[in-house]
Amino acid sequence: MAQALRPNTVGGLFATDGKPHPLQDTLLAVTLVLGAVAFVTGFFDNLHLLSSWAGLVGILTGAYGQWISETTRERFGLILGLGASGVGFFLGMAHGGLFGGVIS
């Protein structure tokens, strides 16, 4: 029954080591939001500019977040955001790309 007496040392929602990680948490939130936007708008042909740019920026922020992440929870969320950003980016590229219809 010793495990019942251990205190809960989990600091925050995303920090499993008990320390704050404000930059990593911000990059995680930005990557998840951009991934969701890119994923949802990627299914509409006329929103290819938004989906491709949001996907590209989401991929870049997620990659940088992976590079500086410190906990497994951060990496897990970043992988979800990166996956959604990648799908949205490639759907946006398939529907017209980053500059489709703007440059003639």
Side-chain angles (χ1 to χ4, degrees), residues 19-95:
K19 300 175 187 173
H21 303 119
L23 177 60
Q24 290 85 350
D25 292 344
T26 303
L27 287 171
L28 172 59
V30 168
T31 303
L32 286 173
V33 168
L34 288 171
V37 168
F39 185 79
V40 170
T41 59
F43 292 103
F44 299 99
D45 291 343
N46 56 345
L47 295 177
H48 63 87
L49 289 173
L50 179 60
S51 64
S52 59
W53 280 105
L56 180 62
V57 175
I59 290 170
L60 294 175
T61 58
Y64 182 67
Q66 280 284 12
W67 187 44
I68 65 169
S69 66
E70 296 184 13
T71 64
T72 303
R73 288 186 187 182
E74 292 166 357
R75 293 181 189 118
F76 179 76
L78 285 167
I79 289 296
L80 291 178
L82 276 166
S85 294
V87 170
F89 173 71
F90 287 124
L91 286 173
M93 293 300 287
H95 291 153

Side-chain angles (χ1 to χ4, degrees), residues 48-49 96-104:
H48 63 87
L49 289 173
L98 296 169
F99 302 106
V102 177
I103 299 174
S104 54

